[in-house]
Amino acid sequence: VPLSVVDLGVLHVPSGRLEACDPFVTLGRDIVFAVEPGDYPVRVTIADVSKEHDGSHEREAYLSLVLADGEPASVEAAQPVRGRGFVCVDAGAVAFVDHDAVVTAMPPQDDWYDVFDSGEPDSWFFLMDSPDHYREGMANIVMPLDGAGENIIMASSGWGDGVYPVMLTRDADGAPLGLHIDLGVVGESDDEDEEE
């Protein structure tokens, strides 16, 4: 299928503990990967599935954090330092965030609903739905109690709720190039996988 890429800016990961999660359900409690502390570009790959399915023609295929420039030569399951290697989605969205920023840059969890859906232009649902903030279904959001620009980058999850693996691309020398939440839009699966 035809693919295009949307640049969602840079994610700050000063702790080196990168979390992949459903931002509205498992934030702060999902899988964590070790990366070098730093700032990383994040991109969404969009697949045009109009020839294969009715309804909307575009689906988010991958949310990717770029670790280094290079030509991918291999893909493998990413190995987390915490969790099981896949994101469980129950609110139709996936995200990357510095795991430690969830503690330092978010209000108490009892107040998270106001952050997510206050109805104000800075609420996470509003920004996710805004075509003027990057693109509808995607957001790069500074966290409410940021002290150094702590942010979360999120996107709609392709076909919606489900369980999505996190994959690691490497170059020909084995150096890691990117972490990708694979939203199950591109590629083929056998009948047994589809039934599961």
Side-chain angles (χ1 to χ4, degrees), residues 83-106:
R84 298 176 64 186
F86 51 82
V87 179
C88 293
V89 174
D90 198 33
V94 291
F96 285 125
V97 63
D98 185 307
H99 178 70
D100 292 7
V102 178
V103 175
T104 61
M106 287 293 287

Side-chain angles (χ1 to χ4, degrees), residues 9 29-30 44 50 54 61 65 81 86 98 133 137 145 147-148 150 160 182:
R29 300 180 287 116
D30 219 321
V44 177
S50 58
D54 294 330
L65 181 122
V81 295
F86 51 82
D98 185 307
H133 180 78
L145 305 180
E150 294 91 340
D182 183 345

Side-chain angles (χ1 to χ4, degrees), residues 19-45:
E19 180 175 334
C21 64
D22 177 328
F24 302 110
V25 179
T26 60
L27 180 65
R29 300 180 287 116
D30 219 321
I31 54 175
V32 176
F33 299 91
V35 298
E36 288 295 319
D39 297 338
Y40 296 96
V42 176
R43 301 177 179 132
V44 177
T45 301

Side-chain angles (χ1 to χ4, degrees), residues 47-60 158-159:
D48 182 347
V49 295
S50 58
K51 293 181 181 178
E52 297 184 13
H53 301 281
D54 294 330
S56 177
H57 301 306
E58 294 184 330
R59 297 285 180 191
E60 294 81 357
W159 298 119

Side-chain angles (χ1 to χ4, degrees), residues 2-187:
L3 301 175
S4 59
V5 176
V6 178
D7 185 350
L8 293 182
V10 171
L11 180 70
H12 306 295
V13 192
S15 76
R17 291 166 48 84
L18 175 74
E19 180 175 334
C21 64
D22 177 328
F24 302 110
V25 179
T26 60
L27 180 65
R29 300 180 287 116
D30 219 321
I31 54 175
V32 176
F33 299 91
V35 298
E36 288 295 319
D39 297 338
Y40 296 96
V42 176
R43 301 177 179 132
V44 177
T45 301
I46 304 293
D48 182 347
V49 295
S50 58
K51 293 181 181 178
E52 297 184 13
H53 301 281
D54 294 330
S56 177
H57 301 306
E58 294 184 330
R59 297 285 180 191
E60 294 81 357
Y62 307 98
L63 180 62
S64 301
L65 181 122
V66 179
L67 297 169
D69 291 330
E71 188 65 32
S74 65
V75 180
E76 64 193 61
Q79 299 302 311
V81 295
R82 188 188 93 176
R84 298 176 64 186
F86 51 82
V87 179
C88 293
V89 174
D90 198 33
V94 291
F96 285 125
V97 63
D98 185 307
H99 178 70
D100 292 7
V102 178
V103 175
T104 61
M106 287 293 287
Q109 193 166 355
D110 291 346
D111 297 331
W112 284 8
Y113 185 78
D114 291 336
V115 172
F116 298 160
D117 196 19
S118 66
E120 297 298 319
D122 63 346
S123 72
W124 292 12
F125 283 144
F126 186 95
L127 291 170
M128 277 284 288
D129 291 340
S130 172
D132 299 323
H133 180 78
Y134 290 91
R135 178 175 167 156
E136 187 173 348
M138 305 171 192
N140 180 337
I141 302 170
V142 175
M143 299 176 89
L145 305 180
D146 76 295
E150 294 91 340
N151 63 328
I152 183 168
I153 298 181
M154 60 184 79
S156 297
S157 55
W159 298 119
D161 298 345
V163 177
Y164 300 107
V166 179
M167 307 304 288
L168 174 69
T169 48
R170 294 184 183 274
D171 66 15
D173 295 323
L177 296 179
L179 287 164
H180 314 269
I181 303 174
D182 183 345
L183 299 169
V185 173
V186 176

